[in-house]
Amino acid sequence: MKHTQIKLITLMYGLLLASAPAFAVSADEAAQLKTTLTPFGGERAGNKDGTIPAWDGGYTKAIPGFVNGGRRPDPFASEKPLYAITAKNMDQYADKLTDGVKAMLKKYPETYRLEVYPTHRTAAAPQWVYDNTSKNATNAKLNGLALVDAYGGIPFPIPKNGVEAMWNHILHWRGADWHLDFRGIQVTSDGKPIVTVDGRADFQMPYYFKDGAANNFKGDFWTVRLLNAGPPIRAGEAITQRQNVDLDKSQTWVYLTGQRRVRKLPIACCDTPTPATAGIMAFDEIDVFAGRLDHFDWKIIGKKEIYIPYNDNKMLQAKTSELIGKNHLNPDYIRWELHRVWVVEATLAPGKRHQAPKGRYYLDEDTWLAVLADRWDANGQLWKTMFTNPIVMPDLPATAPTQQFGFYDLLSGAWYDNGVLNDKAEQYKIMPRYADTVFTPDAMAGEGQR
């Protein structure tokens, strides 16, 4: 009997330890954010080869000619590529290329290439975001996979595990309120472009309200309202989403014109196709990765220097027809730079299912953006390689994508680019704070009807 009681007590103690929240870093460790590390946790120093410069505060000066909501000009328009990486010389750079990029070079040797430009560490944020990041470093915790005691900054600027690193990506700084008009374009395996979404979207991140704080934050960190104007078969459809730091509390509703009613989606996560991309992408492929973390075991593999799309204001200068190529984005408009990234690997968790049971994500050290990612299918084949193209937005300031992301299907040859702004009048327009009621199913029902 006594032996049984001891075993029970030991088991209960073990369960308590397992469910206890993980603690943030010490004050001494967090102090590095003001010395050797950037305020977001990147290395301030450049690399020893001199190909990655030291961080000097980022790019914060206004770009001449920019008007809020309009096309953001290219601050580096006068620069020329240093060199190009092609299928012919890729072996020379192999240790700085992802598996997905190497696969694209091999699959399209005549057209796919990386135009490599000088590296500019443009990432910047307002001082109050840096201050909140400093507080988060010593306060933010994980309760299971839910985020607690974090607000208004990168939650884990000195991450200790893969889950913390992915939360940093999910909550990367990109402003608090913005609007954009965009298209989603699927290109079939034989090179035919098809507009799948022509939408107007409003976004809000209550997590980044300047006048908020951790003690009054209600948990919905990301709210979205999207209304489709086309293609004609989808005109009038709408989607509203509220993502919560406790992902069990996240909610998504859709309005379908054929049904003339709002429906709450029972499963709005993981590999379920999302209506926001006409079902072309999965929910957790939005922004390269979004949504629930519980389907995978996350592991930090380490940091390394690789070529990533960066400071891609040049791509906004093209017409859509110039940007969207037959098999991939037009390399003439894509700027690649050498940056340090965190490499985080995702392996399917026990008892879960997913179409892509293995993934690898590349998180820029200065912004925490997952800029590139690869996904493998159940047969172990490299299946999709995903991308986004961060641009410089000194008006915020920030270096972040304009809700643009996509993937190349390495097996079928089809590909998709979401958030194509190029021919649109309103491109990532910084807005006054929206009323919270904008992001509710009732508001969507009124707007979605046609």
mmCIF file of all heavy atoms in Angstrom, residues 7 32 58 77-78 113 128 161 197 219-220 225 245 259 285-286 313 327 332 350-351 357 362 366 375 392 445:
data_model
loop_
_atom_site.group_PDB
_atom_site.id
_atom_site.type_symbol
_atom_site.label_atom_id
_atom_site.label_comp_id
_atom_site.label_asym_id
_atom_site.label_seq_id
_atom_site.Cartn_x
_atom_site.Cartn_y
_atom_site.Cartn_z
ATOM 1 N N LYS A 7 4.267 5.703 -5.497
ATOM 2 C CA LYS A 7 4.207 5.759 -6.960
ATOM 3 C C LYS A 7 3.201 6.809 -7.427
ATOM 4 O O LYS A 7 3.424 7.549 -8.381
ATOM 5 C CB LYS A 7 3.815 4.386 -7.523
ATOM 6 C CG LYS A 7 4.953 3.378 -7.482
ATOM 7 C CD LYS A 7 4.518 2.059 -8.089
ATOM 8 C CE LYS A 7 4.239 2.205 -9.571
ATOM 9 N NZ LYS A 7 3.897 0.904 -10.170
ATOM 10 N N GLN A 32 21.389 40.955 -23.168
ATOM 11 C CA GLN A 32 22.101 40.870 -24.448
ATOM 12 C C GLN A 32 21.361 41.595 -25.575
ATOM 13 O O GLN A 32 21.960 41.963 -26.577
ATOM 14 C CB GLN A 32 22.283 39.403 -24.835
ATOM 15 C CG GLN A 32 23.130 38.590 -23.902
ATOM 16 C CD GLN A 32 23.159 37.125 -24.322
ATOM 17 O OE1 GLN A 32 23.663 36.773 -25.391
ATOM 18 N NE2 GLN A 32 22.610 36.280 -23.490
ATOM 19 N N GLY A 58 18.481 49.425 -38.794
ATOM 20 C CA GLY A 58 17.504 49.157 -39.846
ATOM 21 C C GLY A 58 17.250 50.351 -40.738
ATOM 22 O O GLY A 58 17.862 51.415 -40.585
ATOM 23 N N ALA A 77 16.896 50.706 -55.858
ATOM 24 C CA ALA A 77 16.669 50.563 -57.298
ATOM 25 C C ALA A 77 17.947 50.739 -58.116
ATOM 26 O O ALA A 77 18.054 50.203 -59.227
ATOM 27 C CB ALA A 77 15.618 51.579 -57.751
ATOM 28 N N SER A 78 18.927 51.478 -57.573
ATOM 29 C CA SER A 78 20.148 51.731 -58.351
ATOM 30 C C SER A 78 21.162 50.596 -58.254
ATOM 31 O O SER A 78 22.160 50.600 -58.983
ATOM 32 C CB SER A 78 20.807 53.034 -57.863
ATOM 33 O OG SER A 78 21.207 52.896 -56.507
ATOM 34 N N ARG A 113 16.542 31.265 -61.571
ATOM 35 C CA ARG A 113 17.852 31.685 -61.085
ATOM 36 C C ARG A 113 17.674 32.628 -59.912
ATOM 37 O O ARG A 113 16.583 33.193 -59.703
ATOM 38 C CB ARG A 113 18.655 32.362 -62.195
ATOM 39 C CG ARG A 113 18.124 33.719 -62.625
ATOM 40 C CD ARG A 113 18.933 34.330 -63.754
ATOM 41 N NE ARG A 113 18.504 35.707 -64.012
ATOM 42 C CZ ARG A 113 17.431 36.048 -64.718
ATOM 43 N NH1 ARG A 113 16.675 35.096 -65.245
ATOM 44 N NH2 ARG A 113 17.108 37.321 -64.887
ATOM 45 N N TRP A 128 8.669 51.393 -28.967
ATOM 46 C CA TRP A 128 7.762 50.750 -28.010
ATOM 47 C C TRP A 128 7.636 49.251 -28.276
ATOM 48 O O TRP A 128 7.401 48.465 -27.348
ATOM 49 C CB TRP A 128 6.384 51.436 -28.006
ATOM 50 C CG TRP A 128 5.615 51.397 -29.295
ATOM 51 C CD1 TRP A 128 5.634 52.330 -30.289
ATOM 52 C CD2 TRP A 128 4.700 50.381 -29.736
ATOM 53 N NE1 TRP A 128 4.797 51.958 -31.319
ATOM 54 C CE2 TRP A 128 4.211 50.775 -31.002
ATOM 55 C CE3 TRP A 128 4.248 49.193 -29.182
ATOM 56 C CZ2 TRP A 128 3.298 50.010 -31.723
ATOM 57 C CZ3 TRP A 128 3.329 48.423 -29.899
ATOM 58 C CH2 TRP A 128 2.867 48.838 -31.151
ATOM 59 N N ASN A 161 13.535 26.764 -27.788
ATOM 60 C CA ASN A 161 13.050 25.570 -28.485
ATOM 61 C C ASN A 161 12.288 25.994 -29.745
ATOM 62 O O ASN A 161 12.056 27.190 -29.983
ATOM 63 C CB ASN A 161 12.140 24.734 -27.566
ATOM 64 C CG ASN A 161 10.981 25.546 -27.001
ATOM 65 O OD1 ASN A 161 10.207 26.128 -27.765
ATOM 66 N ND2 ASN A 161 10.866 25.601 -25.686
ATOM 67 N N VAL A 197 -8.614 34.304 -56.638
ATOM 68 C CA VAL A 197 -9.163 35.235 -55.650
ATOM 69 C C VAL A 197 -8.877 36.643 -56.123
ATOM 70 O O VAL A 197 -7.767 36.954 -56.548
ATOM 71 C CB VAL A 197 -8.512 35.030 -54.260
ATOM 72 C CG1 VAL A 197 -9.085 36.026 -53.263
ATOM 73 C CG2 VAL A 197 -8.702 33.607 -53.768
ATOM 74 N N GLY A 219 -6.418 38.133 -25.956
ATOM 75 C CA GLY A 219 -5.973 36.868 -26.545
ATOM 76 C C GLY A 219 -6.093 36.748 -28.050
ATOM 77 O O GLY A 219 -5.347 35.996 -28.670
ATOM 78 N N ASP A 220 -7.050 37.469 -28.681
ATOM 79 C CA ASP A 220 -7.145 37.421 -30.146
ATOM 80 C C ASP A 220 -6.025 38.282 -30.716
ATOM 81 O O ASP A 220 -6.104 39.519 -30.698
ATOM 82 C CB ASP A 220 -8.498 37.954 -30.614
ATOM 83 C CG ASP A 220 -9.609 36.931 -30.437
ATOM 84 O OD1 ASP A 220 -9.299 35.735 -30.233
ATOM 85 O OD2 ASP A 220 -10.785 37.316 -30.516
ATOM 86 N N ARG A 225 -10.685 40.154 -42.146
ATOM 87 C CA ARG A 225 -11.949 40.164 -42.890
ATOM 88 C C ARG A 225 -11.611 40.251 -44.371
ATOM 89 O O ARG A 225 -10.903 41.154 -44.793
ATOM 90 C CB ARG A 225 -12.809 41.361 -42.495
ATOM 91 C CG ARG A 225 -14.123 41.434 -43.281
ATOM 92 C CD ARG A 225 -14.935 42.648 -42.897
ATOM 93 N NE ARG A 225 -14.293 43.889 -43.297
ATOM 94 C CZ ARG A 225 -14.876 45.087 -43.237
ATOM 95 N NH1 ARG A 225 -16.090 45.183 -42.732
ATOM 96 N NH2 ARG A 225 -14.252 46.172 -43.636
ATOM 97 N N VAL A 245 -4.084 33.415 -29.030
ATOM 98 C CA VAL A 245 -2.827 32.853 -28.528
ATOM 99 C C VAL A 245 -3.047 31.485 -27.879
ATOM 100 O O VAL A 245 -2.103 30.714 -27.746
ATOM 101 C CB VAL A 245 -2.149 33.804 -27.518
ATOM 102 C CG1 VAL A 245 -1.623 35.052 -28.213
ATOM 103 C CG2 VAL A 245 -3.083 34.170 -26.382
ATOM 104 N N GLN A 259 -25.278 29.543 -50.521
ATOM 105 C CA GLN A 259 -26.040 29.121 -49.343
ATOM 106 C C GLN A 259 -26.723 30.302 -48.662
ATOM 107 O O GLN A 259 -27.631 30.112 -47.849
ATOM 108 C CB GLN A 259 -25.111 28.416 -48.357
ATOM 109 C CG GLN A 259 -24.473 27.167 -48.930
ATOM 110 C CD GLN A 259 -23.550 26.488 -47.926
ATOM 111 O OE1 GLN A 259 -23.381 26.932 -46.801
ATOM 112 N NE2 GLN A 259 -22.934 25.405 -48.344
ATOM 113 N N GLU A 285 -0.476 26.953 -44.255
ATOM 114 C CA GLU A 285 0.515 27.420 -45.226
ATOM 115 C C GLU A 285 0.421 28.918 -45.465
ATOM 116 O O GLU A 285 1.254 29.494 -46.174
ATOM 117 C CB GLU A 285 0.365 26.659 -46.550
ATOM 118 C CG GLU A 285 0.724 25.188 -46.422
ATOM 119 C CD GLU A 285 0.462 24.393 -47.680
ATOM 120 O OE1 GLU A 285 -0.394 24.819 -48.505
ATOM 121 O OE2 GLU A 285 1.081 23.340 -47.840
ATOM 122 N N ILE A 286 -0.618 29.558 -44.900
ATOM 123 C CA ILE A 286 -0.726 31.009 -44.992
ATOM 124 C C ILE A 286 0.492 31.630 -44.303
ATOM 125 O O ILE A 286 0.926 31.168 -43.248
ATOM 126 C CB ILE A 286 -2.031 31.484 -44.327
ATOM 127 C CG1 ILE A 286 -3.236 31.012 -45.152
ATOM 128 C CG2 ILE A 286 -2.052 33.005 -44.187
ATOM 129 C CD1 ILE A 286 -4.565 31.306 -44.510
ATOM 130 N N ASN A 313 11.184 45.164 -52.703
ATOM 131 C CA ASN A 313 10.352 46.238 -53.255
ATOM 132 C C ASN A 313 10.369 46.233 -54.777
ATOM 133 O O ASN A 313 9.426 46.707 -55.421
ATOM 134 C CB ASN A 313 10.836 47.596 -52.747
ATOM 135 C CG ASN A 313 10.689 47.726 -51.244
ATOM 136 O OD1 ASN A 313 11.154 46.881 -50.497
ATOM 137 N ND2 ASN A 313 10.016 48.785 -50.792
ATOM 138 N N ASN A 327 6.467 29.102 -64.928
ATOM 139 C CA ASN A 327 6.710 28.080 -63.907
ATOM 140 C C ASN A 327 7.077 28.640 -62.547
ATOM 141 O O ASN A 327 7.218 27.891 -61.580
ATOM 142 C CB ASN A 327 7.830 27.130 -64.366
ATOM 143 C CG ASN A 327 7.499 26.422 -65.664
ATOM 144 O OD1 ASN A 327 8.177 26.588 -66.671
ATOM 145 N ND2 ASN A 327 6.437 25.629 -65.648
ATOM 146 N N ASP A 332 13.790 38.235 -62.804
ATOM 147 C CA ASP A 332 14.248 39.614 -63.036
ATOM 148 C C ASP A 332 13.787 40.553 -61.930
ATOM 149 O O ASP A 332 14.405 41.608 -61.711
ATOM 150 C CB ASP A 332 13.716 40.144 -64.374
ATOM 151 C CG ASP A 332 14.342 39.454 -65.565
ATOM 152 O OD1 ASP A 332 15.381 38.790 -65.377
ATOM 153 O OD2 ASP A 332 13.782 39.575 -66.675
ATOM 154 N N PRO A 350 3.060 12.401 -32.522
ATOM 155 C CA PRO A 350 2.378 11.112 -32.348
ATOM 156 C C PRO A 350 0.858 11.295 -32.267
ATOM 157 O O PRO A 350 0.365 12.199 -31.589
ATOM 158 C CB PRO A 350 2.946 10.601 -31.018
ATOM 159 C CG PRO A 350 4.279 11.269 -30.886
ATOM 160 C CD PRO A 350 4.108 12.625 -31.507
ATOM 161 N N GLY A 351 0.121 10.475 -32.996
ATOM 162 C CA GLY A 351 -1.335 10.514 -32.959
ATOM 163 C C GLY A 351 -1.965 11.535 -33.880
ATOM 164 O O GLY A 351 -3.195 11.624 -33.964
ATOM 165 N N PRO A 357 3.946 15.378 -43.454
ATOM 166 C CA PRO A 357 4.375 15.028 -42.096
ATOM 167 C C PRO A 357 5.740 15.570 -41.702
ATOM 168 O O PRO A 357 6.132 15.446 -40.543
ATOM 169 C CB PRO A 357 4.389 13.488 -42.133
ATOM 170 C CG PRO A 357 4.519 13.128 -43.566
ATOM 171 C CD PRO A 357 3.841 14.207 -44.343
ATOM 172 N N TYR A 362 12.677 28.336 -42.444
ATOM 173 C CA TYR A 362 13.859 29.193 -42.377
ATOM 174 C C TYR A 362 13.417 30.581 -41.919
ATOM 175 O O TYR A 362 12.749 31.309 -42.670
ATOM 176 C CB TYR A 362 14.541 29.243 -43.748
ATOM 177 C CG TYR A 362 14.997 27.879 -44.199
ATOM 178 C CD1 TYR A 362 14.165 27.058 -44.977
ATOM 179 C CD2 TYR A 362 16.238 27.379 -43.827
ATOM 180 C CE1 TYR A 362 14.570 25.787 -45.369
ATOM 181 C CE2 TYR A 362 16.655 26.107 -44.216
ATOM 182 C CZ TYR A 362 15.821 25.318 -44.986
ATOM 183 O OH TYR A 362 16.219 24.066 -45.376
ATOM 184 N N ASP A 366 16.559 38.674 -38.180
ATOM 185 C CA ASP A 366 16.248 40.062 -37.848
ATOM 186 C C ASP A 366 14.757 40.339 -37.684
ATOM 187 O O ASP A 366 14.370 41.280 -36.996
ATOM 188 C CB ASP A 366 16.806 40.993 -38.931
ATOM 189 C CG ASP A 366 18.328 41.081 -38.880
ATOM 190 O OD1 ASP A 366 18.902 40.825 -37.802
ATOM 191 O OD2 ASP A 366 18.932 41.394 -39.917
ATOM 192 N N ARG A 375 8.325 21.306 -47.568
ATOM 193 C CA ARG A 375 7.453 20.286 -46.988
ATOM 194 C C ARG A 375 7.603 18.987 -47.753
ATOM 195 O O ARG A 375 7.652 18.988 -48.990
ATOM 196 C CB ARG A 375 5.984 20.748 -47.014
ATOM 197 C CG ARG A 375 5.638 21.716 -45.892
ATOM 198 C CD ARG A 375 4.160 22.011 -45.802
ATOM 199 N NE ARG A 375 3.812 22.358 -44.422
ATOM 200 C CZ ARG A 375 2.593 22.662 -44.003
ATOM 201 N NH1 ARG A 375 1.579 22.647 -44.853
ATOM 202 N NH2 ARG A 375 2.368 22.954 -42.733
ATOM 203 N N VAL A 392 10.689 46.489 -47.748
ATOM 204 C CA VAL A 392 11.021 47.533 -46.787
ATOM 205 C C VAL A 392 9.844 48.501 -46.676
ATOM 206 O O VAL A 392 9.381 49.037 -47.680
ATOM 207 C CB VAL A 392 12.284 48.316 -47.232
ATOM 208 C CG1 VAL A 392 12.714 49.278 -46.135
ATOM 209 C CG2 VAL A 392 13.405 47.357 -47.574
ATOM 210 N N ALA A 445 -21.815 38.949 -42.717
ATOM 211 C CA ALA A 445 -23.072 38.572 -43.367
ATOM 212 C C ALA A 445 -23.666 39.738 -44.142
ATOM 213 O O ALA A 445 -24.202 39.571 -45.236
ATOM 214 C CB ALA A 445 -24.073 38.080 -42.325
#
